Amino acid sequence: MPNLDKFIISFDHALRTLLTPAQTLRPVPGTQLPEVGLNDSEKHESAALMRINHTGEICAQALYQGQALTARNVEVQHTLAQAAREETEHLAWTERRIAELSGRKSILNPLWYGGSFAIGALAGVLGDKWNLGFLAETERQVTAHLAGHLKRLPHHDGKSRAIVAQMQIDEAGHATSAMSHGGVELPMPVKLMMNLGSKVMTGTAYWV
């Protein structure tokens, strides 16, 4: 069972995720590309899509913290921790790009974090194979969602597109890793519910 230390660490991680700038060890994708002129409509679209991606990374941090809190196997905890480290970099990349576009982060991020943490903790309680299966399905849906963003982003917004493209590669890798460590396919009704929840989050974060 989770002990008090784990809860304290999880609470500290939540505060850091929501209140402090994220850090990245890897260079931000697209840094070497020039900043091109975007008209107001294009800048709004890019900023809104990057806000969605930033909120998605807030949710990912919460999911992994919740899953790690209730995961039983040390190797599973390691897999979750590795994915969380890369998601932290994604958080930093999207946060920086939002600022460059003079955009803003979602004011509902604390709400998204709390809900995602609870879902992640529940997934961990169900057992490690389902925990990893949930991770894999989450990342598959995120990968598809990022592919949609690559179609919607202004074609000449190379900086935003470079960030999203690298995130897509990383998320697909997380899904593969989770399945290789013993994850199982989730029932279709669960996948559909996850997809519905994702649409609610992305649709709301686009505006708020």
Side-chain angles (χ1 to χ4, degrees):
M1 292 292 292
N3 56 36
L4 182 59
D5 288 343
K6 285 187 176 181
F7 280 108
I8 293 174
I9 292 171
S10 294
F11 183 70
D12 177 72
H13 189 277
L15 292 179
R16 290 176 183 273
T17 300
L18 293 169
L19 301 178
T20 64
Q23 303 298 316
T24 178
L25 295 176
R26 289 183 291 174
V28 180
T31 300
Q32 76 285 1
L33 298 175
E35 186 69 74
V36 299
L38 300 173
N39 62 39
D40 289 345
S41 177
E42 292 169 335
K43 183 176 286 189
H44 174 272
E45 182 71 0
S46 289
L49 294 176
M50 296 309 285
R51 178 167 56 250
I52 291 173
N53 292 328
H54 180 269
T55 295
E57 298 306 325
I58 291 284
C59 293
Q61 287 295 313
L63 281 170
Y64 295 150
Q65 284 297 309
Q67 288 177 272
L69 183 68
T70 53
R72 298 170 177 81
N73 185 281
V74 174
E75 188 175 359
V76 171
Q77 293 175 357
H78 176 75
T79 300
L80 291 165
Q82 176 60 36
R85 280 191 291 271
E86 289 191 358
E87 299 292 354
T88 300
E89 294 186 319
H90 297 172
L91 197 62
W93 300 348
T94 53
E95 189 173 90
R96 172 172 168 172
R97 188 57 185 153
I98 288 171
E100 291 173 346
L101 292 164
S102 301
R104 57 176 176 76
K105 295 179 284 187
S106 173
I107 62 175
L108 297 179
N109 279 341
L111 176 64
W112 300 127
Y113 190 100
S116 297
F117 184 90
I119 293 171
L122 176 61
V125 167
L126 295 176
D128 288 332
K129 66 179 183 178
W130 297 109
N131 201 358
L132 289 170
F134 182 81
L135 168 60
E137 181 58 28
T138 298
E139 298 294 27
R140 287 176 188 149
Q141 293 193 14
V142 171
T143 300
H145 147 86
L146 292 173
H149 278 200
L150 285 173
K151 294 179 180 178
R152 293 175 61 183
L153 281 166
H155 182 71
H156 52 292
D157 184 3
K159 286 181 172 291
S160 296
R161 297 179 68 84
I163 290 172
V164 172
Q166 185 58 53
M167 288 171 59
Q168 189 180 32
I169 292 171
D170 292 344
E171 307 294 10
H174 296 164
T176 300
S177 176
M179 295 304 288
S180 68
H181 283 84
V184 296
E185 290 292 335
L186 301 183
M188 185 55 66
V190 175
K191 292 182 180 182
L192 293 175
M193 288 180 61
M194 291 171 65
N195 188 51
L196 177 61
S198 175
K199 288 181 177 179
V200 171
M201 184 277 287
T202 56
T204 304
Y206 184 90
W207 298 105
V208 184

